Amino acid sequence: AGLVPSYAWGLGSLGFSISFFLALLSTPVLIFAALRAIWSLSTVGPARKTLSTFAILMLWWVPALIAGGVLALCWTAGSIFVMAATVTLPPILVCSCLVFILTGVEAFRKNEQQRPRRGVDDITFSELGLAIMVAICSFCTTG
């Protein structure tokens, strides 16, 4: 039982590492797309385009830093949620299933009580005892 939290944290750190690596890997593509978008603006002069390009190239690390913080927060919350779910969901599911089954049984019981009683074709206890003895004798003789 003590291994579940360590596994959950291990999966959370692995997930964070992979997603942060992918965020860093996509940073040059996003910078290239931003520079292409800036330089395609027709209403902006070359001085503003150059200044914007310089700002983007100098502050490239800010979106990566923000992505790292957001990803760390998301993966930490996800790990905590998984740990909480492993502890709370089984009792909740068992209790829900029991409530569902018991209410169904109670509805069936009430429905059966409202039906009119007729004579039931059933065997008596002496006939049941005789059938059990015949079954035992048959088992002993034939194997």
Side-chain angles (χ1 to χ4, degrees):
L3 296 177
V4 172
S6 65
Y7 284 138
W9 284 116
L11 290 176
S13 62
L14 177 66
F16 168 75
S17 300
I18 291 172
S19 39
F20 188 63
F21 173 73
L22 291 174
L24 287 178
L25 197 62
S26 65
T27 300
V29 176
L30 294 175
I31 289 173
F32 179 71
L35 292 177
R36 284 190 66 192
I38 287 172
W39 282 94
S40 68
L41 294 172
S42 60
T43 58
V44 177
R48 281 192 188 172
K49 289 179 184 178
T50 304
L51 185 60
S52 298
T53 300
F54 182 72
I56 287 175
L57 293 178
M58 293 305 291
L59 298 174
W60 69 269
W61 54 271
V62 173
L65 183 68
I66 292 172
V70 169
L71 287 171
L73 183 67
C74 289
W75 280 103
T76 302
S79 295
I80 291 171
F81 176 74
V82 166
M83 284 190 294
T86 58
V87 172
T88 57
L89 280 183
I92 290 172
L93 289 175
V94 166
C95 290
S96 299
C97 288
L98 284 175
V99 166
F100 178 73
I101 290 170
L102 292 177
T103 54
V105 166
E106 187 64 25
F108 175 77
R109 191 184 66 79
K110 285 184 180 180
N111 187 21
E112 286 296 316
Q113 283 180 345
Q114 291 176 353
R115 290 178 138 188
R117 294 186 182 242
R118 299 179 309 194
V120 179
D121 294 333
D122 201 5
I123 64 172
T124 62
F125 280 109
S126 58
E127 292 171 339
L128 177 64
L130 182 63
I132 290 174
M133 286 187 349
V134 167
I136 291 173
C137 288
S138 175
F139 176 74
C140 289
T141 55
T142 60

